[in-house]
Amino acid sequence: MSLSEKVLTGDVRAAARLMRDIDDNRPSAVTELKQIYARTGNAYIIGITGPPGAGKSTLVDQLTASFRKQGKKVGVVAIDPTSPFTGGAILGDRIRMNRHATDDGVFIRSLATRGALGGLSRSTSDVALVLDALGMDIIIIETVGVGQDEVDIVKAAHTTCVVMVPGMGDDIQAIKAGILEIGDVFVVNKADREGADRTARELAAMLEMRDTPQGDWQPQVFKTEAQRGTGIDELVGEILTHRDHLFSSGLIETFLRERNERHFVDILRDSLYKHAMAFMDRTATLPRVLDGMADSSIDPYSAAEEVIAEMLGYDPQSV
Amino acid sequence: MSLSEKVLTGDVRAAARLMRDIDDNRPSAVTELKQIYARTGNAYIIGITGPPGAGKSTLVDQLTASFRKQGKKVGVVAIDPTSPFTGGAILGDRIRMNRHATDDGVFIRSLATRGALGGLSRSTSDVALVLDALGMDIIIIETVGVGQDEVDIVKAAHTTCVVMVPGMGDDIQAIKAGILEIGDVFVVNKADREGADRTARELAAMLEMRDTPQGDWQPQVFKTEAQRGTGIDELVGEILTHRDHLFSSGLIETFLRERNERHFVDILRDSLYKHAMAFMDRTATLPRVLDGMADSSIDPYSAAEEVIAEMLGYDPQSV
């Protein structure tokens, strides 16, 4: 039985193996992914994003527990920023998730932001596909909402929760429009802290000013204390309401098409890049270009055009 | 006179215009960049990276003032995370930099992390080239060290300063190896805060454990209070010592070759992607692929291989 067939029967070890092959960028992983593709699309994907220290991992842990109580299988993809600055907290959080370690209905996978060959958003999509094929009902993608890659990742989620904390004070006024567009649900976590009501009020006010077309989803602000489990049921309820809205409004069609486009284009860009590197290897192009750049006899822009012209067999300038 | 010729005469408005054209992804920008390429390579690039709230912008402001006193022209490329979470503080910092606004010897350029078509590290390299051509002696690139793109960016710097703050407490133990490899100089800023000595000691201890080959650069830890200007002269001195080491050891050759490779490969990947998008436009491929993905009759992996085979005129599988 192939790895993909095993994954489709719910074989957890085969899934872990396939995810490693994806990490290692093995060609066989693509063959397996092709096999499972048609059998995916059943899982509901929830994105959790927010600044370091917002308590995202604790929230993910609580959401996982809540969905498990409903009998749902839960896959978690945690994007660990390789950035050192938040390393400690994240390690701590991961350890906390261990209460689900012996639960067969939970599969947790960490992805490092650095060293992800071929782009993090593609790796995340591929790993989510494997979790989907494995039979997970819910897939939670957790990522720090800093950096372009990280923000792109949550676009793969059906429902995105943006997690904030009180005490961002006046800075909230300066929050850029981007965050308002990314979130379907807003959470003020650590709601026992001073200023939680104010943060929630300000967020709600900004969301109301947002130009929402008639019939579109209007995001709400929820307060949680993930550490104590407070507000989790309400949050889960809102996520399910958003899911219902996606399907009943027909917005799901647009969402899936846009997500498919990003996934396809990610793969295309990634594969083209690999072909270009292989082409340059065969033609020993790189050392020649680097020599030329070193003595300023060639610039990298012209060199890239030349490589592309050779690869494609025509002058790209002429198109 | 072309835009690039004007930039080479030190025309600040022409430089600003060319940077806008780079932002807007205009083909003409590439033509201009080709013209200036051979005339660059004179500026010394300093990378400043560290977590939000470390006081990076204040440090950049002080370094700028210090280099200006030495009569050096200074260009600053500030990567503004589009992430909302730190938005407020960054806006504040930018305003503080305004004390250099009337100084012709200082050119400050902000780049947003989101919306950077074709990758942030490429845009940053291109903008740094323009500043170099404009005659800046020193180019300071400031970026939050979270996210893959942001970390890649500082690799373009001759000297990278990693800025930390006291109060990261026990978390420092969990700091991943990555940070130790990225920095040439380590700075504990806000050194008047409790725990500064401890943070500096712990960092130094970790750096000593690092496996540094004989003759390689051994990074030191410096304490600064950027707000009051304390420790800035020592930091500038260390940056210059690192520069001398780069040149006297011959390491500069390896550094430049690696940087040129990254820049060239970034441009190649970016251009190939644009060609693929144009190819798919001409052949109306995208709607067909998305229809196929929607009814599961095609998977994105096979679809990407087909597009590449058509573009390259051969079966990529056969290579």
Side-chain angles (χ1 to χ4, degrees):
Chain A
M1 218 195 271
S2 74
L3 215 47
S4 51
E5 284 168 326
K6 284 185 189 164
V7 170
L8 288 165
T9 66
D11 184 334
V12 169
R13 293 169 66 107
R17 170 76 189 285
L18 179 49
M19 288 179 193
R20 265 204 313 282
D21 289 350
I22 292 170
D23 272 0
D24 297 344
N25 223 3
R26 285 181 195 244
S28 68
V30 172
T31 312
E32 303 289 352
L33 284 166
K34 284 181 194 172
Q35 302 303 321
I36 63 173
Y37 189 79
R39 302 276 294 274
T40 59
N42 309 309
Y44 195 79
I45 305 183
I46 300 167
I48 305 286
T49 189
K56 290 184 299 299
S57 297
T58 314
L59 202 62
V60 169
D61 180 61
Q62 295 283 9
L63 290 175
T64 302
S66 176
F67 284 115
R68 287 301 294 140
K69 264 188 232 150
Q70 299 175 32
K72 306 285 188 197
K73 291 188 169 185
V74 182
V76 175
V77 188
I79 316 294
D80 275 336
T82 317
S83 162
F85 308 122
T86 54
I90 284 167
L91 289 177
D93 288 336
R94 287 290 161 267
I95 291 158
R96 209 177 308 143
M97 279 297 279
N98 270 356
R99 71 156 150 149
H100 299 295
T102 55
D103 179 355
D104 286 345
V106 177
F107 191 110
I108 299 168
R109 176 75 183 178
S110 288
L111 285 180
T113 51
R114 238 184 291 172
L117 285 159
L120 194 55
S121 62
R122 179 193 166 167
S123 313
T124 308
S125 301
D126 287 350
V127 166
L129 272 188
V130 178
L131 288 171
D132 190 332
L134 187 63
M136 298 292 130
D137 303 297
I138 303 284
I139 298 172
I140 304 179
I141 300 176
E142 178 199 334
T143 176
V144 171
V146 181
Q148 190 171 7
D149 276 357
E150 288 75 5
V151 171
D152 282 349
I153 285 166
V154 296
K155 288 190 187 157
H158 294 89
T159 301
T160 296
C161 303
V162 174
V163 187
M164 313 284 277
V165 273
M168 302 182 68
D170 297 330
D171 289 352
I172 205 167
Q173 301 298 346
I175 286 181
K176 306 232 175 82
I179 193 181
L180 297 178
E181 279 149 36
I182 219 180
D184 302 305
V185 184
F186 288 79
V187 178
V188 177
N189 193 30
K190 306 190 179 177
D192 52 325
R193 288 202 187 162
E194 206 187 308
D197 286 326
R198 191 182 152 204
T199 303
R201 257 199 323 272
E202 286 175 340
L203 257 178
M206 290 173 74
L207 286 167
E208 270 168 33
M209 287 189 305
R210 185 168 98 151
D211 193 20
T212 308
Q214 199 89 48
D216 252 22
W217 176 253
Q218 178 66 49
Q220 306 290 325
V221 181
F222 287 76
K223 287 188 288 184
T224 57
E225 290 175 56
Q227 202 68 259
R228 300 172 56 192
T230 312
I232 302 300
D233 290 345
E234 292 80 358
L235 177 57
V236 169
E238 180 72 354
I239 291 169
L240 297 179
T241 305
H242 180 247
R243 183 188 63 179
D244 292 345
H245 175 82
L246 262 186
F247 284 90
S248 65
S249 66
L251 284 172
I252 187 73
E253 302 295 332
T254 319
F255 166 78
L256 288 177
R257 203 167 173 94
E258 286 173 359
R259 186 172 76 179
N260 284 345
E261 178 171 344
R262 276 191 302 271
H263 192 201
F264 166 63
V265 168
D266 273 355
I267 292 167
L268 179 63
R269 174 162 32 189
D270 190 21
S271 306
L272 261 179
Y273 170 67
K274 282 181 201 153
H275 278 288
M277 296 312 276
F279 176 84
M280 289 203 294
D281 257 3
R282 287 198 304 277
T283 51
T285 301
L286 196 55
R288 189 171 49 75
V289 170
L290 294 181
D291 289 345
M293 283 173 79
D295 65 15
S296 292
S297 63
I298 193 165
D299 68 82
Y301 308 94
S302 305
E305 281 168 9
E306 280 171 29
V307 170
I308 293 173
E310 284 174 46
M311 275 182 75
L312 303 186
Y314 62 83
D315 181 1
Q317 291 286 58
S318 70
V319 184
Chain B
M1 218 195 271
S2 74
L3 215 47
S4 51
E5 284 168 325
K6 284 185 189 165
V7 170
L8 288 164
T9 66
D11 183 334
V12 168
R13 292 169 67 107
R17 170 76 189 283
L18 179 48
M19 289 178 192
R20 263 204 314 280
D21 288 350
I22 292 171
D23 272 1
D24 296 346
N25 223 4
R26 285 180 195 245
S28 68
V30 171
T31 312
E32 303 288 352
L33 284 166
K34 283 182 195 172
Q35 302 304 321
I36 62 173
Y37 189 79
R39 302 276 293 276
T40 59
N42 309 309
Y44 196 78
I45 305 183
I46 301 167
I48 306 285
T49 187
K56 290 184 299 300
S57 296
T58 313
L59 202 62
V60 169
D61 180 61
Q62 294 283 9
L63 290 174
T64 302
S66 176
F67 283 114
R68 285 302 292 142
K69 262 187 234 152
Q70 299 174 32
K72 306 285 188 197
K73 290 188 170 187
V74 182
V76 175
V77 188
I79 316 294
D80 275 336
T82 316
S83 162
F85 308 122
T86 53
I90 285 168
L91 289 179
D93 288 335
R94 285 292 161 268
I95 290 158
R96 208 177 311 143
M97 280 296 279
N98 270 355
R99 72 157 150 148
H100 300 297
T102 54
D103 180 353
D104 286 344
V106 177
F107 191 109
I108 300 168
R109 176 75 184 180
S110 289
L111 286 180
T113 52
R114 238 182 292 170
L117 285 160
L120 194 55
S121 62
R122 179 191 166 170
S123 313
T124 308
S125 301
D126 288 350
V127 166
L129 272 188
V130 177
L131 287 171
D132 190 332
L134 188 63
M136 298 292 130
D137 302 296
I138 304 283
I139 298 172
I140 304 179
I141 300 176
E142 177 199 335
T143 173
V144 171
V146 182
Q148 189 172 7
D149 277 354
E150 287 74 7
V151 171
D152 283 349
I153 285 166
V154 296
K155 289 189 184 155
H158 294 89
T159 302
T160 296
C161 303
V162 174
V163 187
M164 314 282 278
V165 273
M168 303 181 66
D170 297 329
D171 289 351
I172 204 167
Q173 301 298 346
I175 286 182
K176 307 234 174 80
I179 193 178
L180 296 179
E181 279 148 36
I182 218 181
D184 302 304
V185 184
F186 288 80
V187 178
V188 178
N189 192 31
K190 305 190 179 178
D192 52 325
R193 287 204 188 161
E194 206 186 309
D197 287 326
R198 191 182 151 205
T199 303
R201 260 199 322 275
E202 287 175 340
L203 257 178
M206 292 173 73
L207 287 168
E208 270 167 32
M209 288 190 303
R210 187 169 97 151
D211 193 21
T212 307
Q214 199 90 47
D216 251 25
W217 176 252
Q218 179 65 51
Q220 308 291 325
V221 182
F222 287 76
K223 287 188 288 184
T224 58
E225 291 174 55
Q227 200 69 256
R228 298 172 55 193
T230 311
I232 301 301
D233 290 346
E234 291 80 358
L235 177 57
V236 168
E238 179 73 355
I239 290 169
L240 297 179
T241 305
H242 180 248
R243 182 189 63 180
D244 291 345
H245 175 83
L246 262 186
F247 284 91
S248 65
S249 65
L251 284 173
I252 187 74
E253 303 295 332
T254 319
F255 166 78
L256 288 178
R257 203 167 172 93
E258 286 173 1
R259 187 173 74 177
N260 284 344
E261 178 172 346
R262 276 192 302 273
H263 192 200
F264 166 63
V265 168
D266 272 355
I267 293 167
L268 180 63
R269 176 162 33 190
D270 190 22
S271 305
L272 262 178
Y273 170 67
K274 282 181 202 154
H275 278 288
M277 295 311 275
F279 177 84
M280 289 203 295
D281 256 4
R282 286 199 304 276
T283 51
T285 301
L286 195 55
R288 190 171 48 77
V289 170
L290 295 181
D291 289 344
M293 285 172 78
D295 66 15
S296 292
S297 63
I298 193 164
D299 68 82
Y301 309 94
S302 305
E305 282 168 9
E306 280 171 30
V307 169
I308 292 172
E310 285 173 47
M311 274 182 77
L312 303 186
Y314 62 83
D315 181 1
Q317 291 286 59
S318 70
V319 185

